[in-house]
């Protein structure tokens, strides 16, 4: 491309006096037409034989009226430029080959044909504007040319209406095949003037056309006036609008990407073995993986997996590899294929909120570059049903619970077919309690309602894959690949033995620990932890898994007691920054244990920390500032924090002996790809546990078993309620048929001993009817009666179909645990009788999670102290729910109580006190000290309350009598979700920005979402303490993504409002008009 290619040319016509006929536009010019008119000769004389003429720039006058904004430009009168446009448009449309074109396109094309000679070139440079005018030989149609040249990446000081109009004109001109336009010489001389808006008289105005117009019909006049008013109004508004930036380079890149996506789409649809530039994706995707993640080449197993016939044929797939094997990358490539090439939405289900937020941050950059949305569905975030995008597609990243709600809403609105792919990480969680039951329900509904949605499941710890294959109707791929070799060791007394499956007892002796221990150290550290960790730190990283949270803190302190002061010198300045930032995010507070351990590069990590603290410590560990974390088993299933050496303090999680799956997850953190050549795991055991440990390391992984029936109110009963509510299955036969296709249905022979699947189905439906959530409906058809004869013992139930009640629909929509739905209804109904709105306490009580009331008993002295400090209105709220100060006083003093009080209500009100205090003070540290509770527990309570508040809101939306709660709960949910001052909420909407980081950003001048979206990551790094380049880029990308989502939602809302209704009376809407 030549140097002129960096300029964007815009062409605009200035209408001359003599209007040509259609014949002169399309016919070859005659000699008479080529001869210039007298007026043109006069103008040429004034121009000095085509010499360049500098136009004087005069101050711009203020215009108070919209009528005056256009100065001396062509008027809007009968004989105006617009009148000529309409006239030409009418004639143009009469041509047979052009009747099919829309009026707007015809007008634009004719306008573009009138563009010729007199070139104005304006280039913005610094604070100056170059203005140059040059007259050329008149062309065959007797018009002047005005060409505007624009610096490719600079702001262009013209009203946006004109800039956009010029772009349309150029495109229309190209469509007409105007080959006569030549590129101007980029080095043309020009005179510089002050950079300001051009005054009205800075360019010679076209002479007014005095020729009388033809007589037109009234309909033509009205039509012209409508067009005239519309254009005048649009130009008036747009002239005041902010001028957009045009980048030739960006346009070319977007065009290239669009072309590559089209090619990739065709490749995927064809049966060819040619996978295109990057596994049927544009080459830009490969470049982005190098840029954002440093991935230049895929592992061999990844290539094999992506090229499997089952993957190419879009069959369901389960694949299993060891931890750190690179499973996620394969899923990401498949998701990008679906989003970009097949133009379908994608759902990715992850087990924990922290992992959802980590994935959102990582993929937002891809979304910005490749043109798709990344939406978070976790906690109280997520819209049901999701916004229906007409152009860009969405990648929904959700927790298990939110993923279930999302699928339900898509089925209900008839949009489930828009979901092209569902990816499930940690598929083995389908066998873990109530969360496993919810995951099973989600997948079963997908299989039953959408035959076009592909399901991909991945896990590092799967054993009974055959059952899962049968359930998901999936192919299976597995590999034992690990990018870094893992060596497993066992430590018994002073001996370290390597795990060896070929050896007789499963292990072979490796070495003796050689570390000089003092008598004091032997008593404090009988397991030689100090010796094991000092072999790798501070130059390499180490994780120590401990059975309990308290043990984590004790081990961290013990290790630091015996580390030499030399460890303090390693990255000393960075460690002081970590301490400083921990204080900042905790309002000046700092855990005394962390204060002692961090200077030595050691910290503990468990759920007792706030999410802000955990995130900061994880960042410090990832960057090598901290070299040792003592942690609980939850870290193994959470965010990815690999280490050179992983030590298991004991073969226990709390008081339960370690499971094979848990063991594999923990040791899987050993070995960092690209950093370590080998990873080591060491399990410390006592002689009494030796045999159990030998069994642990040799036995296969535990099987996955369905919990759908075991978790009745959260499992099978919730499933049946949603099946009827979504009209997936509304009679006993259909419901039973659905159950046969679930994971539980596949395993029923193993799981059911006393009752059959049919009996369990009937019992669950009876429970829902008794609870008032379902009702029996009409009698079935003759076919149904014939089927029920074979099962005469259930004749009564088989005759009926079912429909969902109002309470049932509210419970289903709110995803309320069916064990509590009737209690919630009673509490809300009772609240209407005397809802106390002088404070938030009563409302908070109604949204305090029921299940958390069982987890912890109150400290009665603290309870009484807090109760006595309540205002009269707050005491009234407590009395309304059934708790008196007298009762709390007697419990605090240890007196016997004769009056029976519901313990659950008392406990729940205590949790409400914690939440109420937290909303007033917004300081977790103060609240945790006041109630003598771990700050992590207080924050978990807050998160659970925000989620439950959102559920109660959806519950109330389905019940008309609870209308009063709706507006109240919207605001309360927002308060519980963020629990910060109002000015920080916009910043905390960005994924990964927690309270501490939001305060830093706000104090640094970044006070809104728009500020973050337009921030320079390099400036952010210099402005915000302890912010890595990777984190800065992720914050900016996430903010851009969120801003784009909001803008797109508003734009689509406007288009929806302006669209002609499909059921408009008397009009048969075309497919393009239908919503």
């Amino acid at each position: 491309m030549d140097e002129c290619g960096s300029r964007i040319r815009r062409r605009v016509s200035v209408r001359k006096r003599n209007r040509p006929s259609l014949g002169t536009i399309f016919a070859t010019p005659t000699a008479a037409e080529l001869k210039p008119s007298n007026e043109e000769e006069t103008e040429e004389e004034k121009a000095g034989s085509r010499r360049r003429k500098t136009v004087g720039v005069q101050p711009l006058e203020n215009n108070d009226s919209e009528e005056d904004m256009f100065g001396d430009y062509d008027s809007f009168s009968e004989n105006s430029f617009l009148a000529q446009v309409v006239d030409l448009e009418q004639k143009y449309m009469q041509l047979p080959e052009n009747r099919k074109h829309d009026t707007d396109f015809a007008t634009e094309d004719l306008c573009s044909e009138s563009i010729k000679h007199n070139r104005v070139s304006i280039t913005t440079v610094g604070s100056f504007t170059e203005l140059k005018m040059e007259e050329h030989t008149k062309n065959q149609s007797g018009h002047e040319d005005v060409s505007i040249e624009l610096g490719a990446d600079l702001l262009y000081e013209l009203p946006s209406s004109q800039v956009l109009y010029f772009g349309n004109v150029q495109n229309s001109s190209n469509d007409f095949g105007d080959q006569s336009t030549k590129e101007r010489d980029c080095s043309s001389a020009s005179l510089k003037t002050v950079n300001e808006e051009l005054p009205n008289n800075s360019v010679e105005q076209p002479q007014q056309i005095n020729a009388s117009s033809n007589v037109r019909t009234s309909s033509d006049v009205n039509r012209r006036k409508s067009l005239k008013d519309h254009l005048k109004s649009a130009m008036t508004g747009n002239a005041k609008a902010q001028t957009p930036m045009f980048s030739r380079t960006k346009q070319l890149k977007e065009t290239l990407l669009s072309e590559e996506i089209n090619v990739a789409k065709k490749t995927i649809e064809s049966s060819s073995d040619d996978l295109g530039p990057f596994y049927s994706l544009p080459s830009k995707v490969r470049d982005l993986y190098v840029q954002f993640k440093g991935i230049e080449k895929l592992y061999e197993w990844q290539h094999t997996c992506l090229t499997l016939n089952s993957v190419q044929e879009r069959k369901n797939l389960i694949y299993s590899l060891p931890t750190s094997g690179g499973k996620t990358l394969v899923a990401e490539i498949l998701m990008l294929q679906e989003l970009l090439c097949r133009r379908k939405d994608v759902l990715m289900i992850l087990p924990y909120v922290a992992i959802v937020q980590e994935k959102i941050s990582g993929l937002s950059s891809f979304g910005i570059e490749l043109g798709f949305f990344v939406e978070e569905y976790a906690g109280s975030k997520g819209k049901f049903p999701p916004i229906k995008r007409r152009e860009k597609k969405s990648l929904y990243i959700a927790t298990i619970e939110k993923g279930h709600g999302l699928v339900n809403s898509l089925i209900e609105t008839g949009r489930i077919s828009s979901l092209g792919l569902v990816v499930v990480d940690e598929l083995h969680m389908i066998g873990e309690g109530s969360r496993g039951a919810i995951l099973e329900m989600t997948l079963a509904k997908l299989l039953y309602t959408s035959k076009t949605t592909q399901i991909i499941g991945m896990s590092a710890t799967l054993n009974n894959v055959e059952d899962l294959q049968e359930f998901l109707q999936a192919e299976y791929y597995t590999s034992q690949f690990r990018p870094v070799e893992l060596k497993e060791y066992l430590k018994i007394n002073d001996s370290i033995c390597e795990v060896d499956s070929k050896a007789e007892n499963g292990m072979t002796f490796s070495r003796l620990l050689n570390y000089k221990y003092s008598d004091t150290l032997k008593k404090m550290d009988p397991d030689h932890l100090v010796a094991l960790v000092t072999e790798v730190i501070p130059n390499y990283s180490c994780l120590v898994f401990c059975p309990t949270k308290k043990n984590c803190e004790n081990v961290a302190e013990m290790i630091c007691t015996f580390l030499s002061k030399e460890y303090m010198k390693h990255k000393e300045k960075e460690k002081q920054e970590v301490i400083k930032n921990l204080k900042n995010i905790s309002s000046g507070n700092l855990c005394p244990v962390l204060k002692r351990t961090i200077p030595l590069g050691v910290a503990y990590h468990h759920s007792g920390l706030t999410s802000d603290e955990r995130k900061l410590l994880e960042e410090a560990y990832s960057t090598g500032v901290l070299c040792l974390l003592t942690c609980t088993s939850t870290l193994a299933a959470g965010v990815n924090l690999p280490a050179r050496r992983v030590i298991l303090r004991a073969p226990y999680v709390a008081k339960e002996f370690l499971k094979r799956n848990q063991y594999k997850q923990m040791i899987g953190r050993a070995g960092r790809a690209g950093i370590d050549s080998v990873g080591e795991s060491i399990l410390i055991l006592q002689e009494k546990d030796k045999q159990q440990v030998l069994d642990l390391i040799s036995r296969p992984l535990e099987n996955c078993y369905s919990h759908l029936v075991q978790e009745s109110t959260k499992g099978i009963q919730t499933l049946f309620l949603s099946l009827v509510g979504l009209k997936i299955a509304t009679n006993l036969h259909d419901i039973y048929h659905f159950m046969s296709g679930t994971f539980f249905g596949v395993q029923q022979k193993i799981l059911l001993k006393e009752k059959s699947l049919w009996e369990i189905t009937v019992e669950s439906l009876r429970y829902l009817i008794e609870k008032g959530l379902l009702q029996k409906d009409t009698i079935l058809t003759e076919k149904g009666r014939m089927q029920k004869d074979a099962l005469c013992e259930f004749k009564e139930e088989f005759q009926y179909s079912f429909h969902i009640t109002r309470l049932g629909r509210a419970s289903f929509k709110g995803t309320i645990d069916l064990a509590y739905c009737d209690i919630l209804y009673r509490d809300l109904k009772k609240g209407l009788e005397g809802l106390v709105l002088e404070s938030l306490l009563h409302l908070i009580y109604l949204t305090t999670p029921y299940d958390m009331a069982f987890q912890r008993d109150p400290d009665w002295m603290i309870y009484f102290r807090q109760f006595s400090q309540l205002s009269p209105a707050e005491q009234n709220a407590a009395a309304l729910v059934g708790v008196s100060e007298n009762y709390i006083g007697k419990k605090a003093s240890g007196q016997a109580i004769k009056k029976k009080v519901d313990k659950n209500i008392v406990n729940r009100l205590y949790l409400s006190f914690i939440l109420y205090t937290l909303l007033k003070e917004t300081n977790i540290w103060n609240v945790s000290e006041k109630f003598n509770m771990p700050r992590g527990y207080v924050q978990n309570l807050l998160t659970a309350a925000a989620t439950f508040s959102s559920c109660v809101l959806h519950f109330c939306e389905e019940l008309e009598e609870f209308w009063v709660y709706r507006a109240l709960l919207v605001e309360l949910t927002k308060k519980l979700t963020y629990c910060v001052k109002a000015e920080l909420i916009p910043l905390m909407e960005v994924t990964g920005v927690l309270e501490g980081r939001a305060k830093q950003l706000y104090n640094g001048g970044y006070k809104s979402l728009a500020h973050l979206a337009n921030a320079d990551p390099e400036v952010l790094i210099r402005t915000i303490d302890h912010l890595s380049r990777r984190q800065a880029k992720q914050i900016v990308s996430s903010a851009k993504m969120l801003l784009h989502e909001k803008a797109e939602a508003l734009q689509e809302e406007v288009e929806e409002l302006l669209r002609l209704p499909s059921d408009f009376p008397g009009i048969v809407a075309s497919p393009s008009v239908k919503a």
Side-chain angles (χ1 to χ4, degrees), residues 27 365 376 483 493 534 576 689 773 863 874 899 942 963:
S365 303
E376 178 180 353
N493 300 321
T534 51
Q576 289 304 316
D689 297 322
L773 303 173
Y863 203 163
E874 291 162 352
K899 185 180 178 181
L942 181 67
W963 64 270

Side-chain angles (χ1 to χ4, degrees), residues 168-179:
N168 291 335
V169 165
Q170 185 186 30
N171 292 337
S172 302
S173 179
N174 291 339
D175 291 341
F176 252 89
D178 182 6
Q179 302 298 326

